[in-house]
Amino acid sequence: MYLFSESEGQHKFKKMNLSNLKPAVGSTKNSKRIGRGTGSGRGGTSTRGHKGAGSRSGHKTKIGFEGGQMPLQRRVPKVGFKPINRTEYVGVNLDVLQALAEKHSLTTIDFAALQAHGLASKNDLVKILGRGEVKAKLEITAHAFSATAQKAIEAAGGSIVKL
């Protein structure tokens, strides 16, 4: 790989290596050199101000600390509730099942088939939801079914099996 440079109208190519790599222009800034004498403008208190905990070595403030004022995360009311023992399902809609059955000419769709086609992973619980419609007569096996999905599957002549 070569670097291209123009000087005095001539084109030169330099071989690129680790010694001539530089960051893009303007992407880096020099850090503040504090505590290097009064002439630097950052001597004396080294930008820490006078007295107080913030001027001492080893001082750290907690995240969200607002100087003793009631912090924002405690002022804002808490909303919602998530029960600790809730069951979370992966939802699969009827239109997805219909497309899957048409594409792969399936008559039974079980958990293994859903896993094989990437709709669920091995530790998921699957719930069949009622969006779309089923035209084919399918036997569907899943952990749970919504009421509308169950009606639609049975109306099309299919059957459901709960795991």
Side-chain angles (χ1 to χ4, degrees):
M1 182 140 233
Y2 293 94
L3 291 174
F4 174 73
S5 64
E6 257 186 73
S7 59
E8 301 173 16
Q10 295 178 343
H11 299 297
K12 285 187 190 174
F13 290 100
K14 287 190 216 170
K15 190 156 175 115
M16 181 189 279
N17 59 27
L18 292 176
S19 68
N20 58 23
L21 289 177
K22 290 181 185 173
V25 178
S27 67
T28 59
K29 288 201 281 186
N30 295 335
S31 60
K32 265 190 198 180
R33 296 192 70 229
I34 57 174
R36 295 293 181 272
T38 52
S40 69
R42 297 194 184 103
T45 58
S46 301
T47 71
R48 288 172 175 250
H50 295 281
K51 299 184 180 176
S55 69
R56 315 286 190 223
S57 66
H59 172 68
K60 291 184 183 114
T61 53
K62 289 181 181 177
I63 294 171
F65 182 69
E66 297 183 18
Q69 172 178 301
M70 185 60 68
L72 183 68
Q73 74 269 20
R74 290 187 61 196
R75 289 197 305 264
V76 174
K78 306 297 175 276
V79 178
F81 172 74
K82 277 195 173 180
I84 197 166
N85 55 353
R86 68 189 178 275
T87 27
E88 287 191 16
Y89 292 99
V90 172
V92 179
N93 280 296
L94 292 176
D95 54 356
V96 175
L97 293 178
Q98 180 63 36
L100 187 71
E102 287 173 3
K103 187 175 180 184
H104 301 286
S105 62
L106 300 173
T107 55
T108 60
I109 297 175
D110 57 349
F111 185 69
L114 293 173
Q115 218 175 332
H117 294 97
L119 295 171
S121 60
K122 67 177 184 176
N123 296 324
D124 287 339
L125 298 175
V126 176
K127 183 171 185 174
I128 308 299
L129 304 173
R131 187 189 71 199
E133 57 182 274
V134 179
K135 296 169 189 145
K137 183 180 174 182
L138 297 173
E139 184 184 332
I140 301 170
T141 306
H143 297 95
F145 294 84
S146 72
T148 53
Q150 189 172 346
K151 284 179 191 171
I153 293 165
E154 289 169 350
S159 61
I160 63 164
V161 178
K162 288 186 182 177
L163 290 173

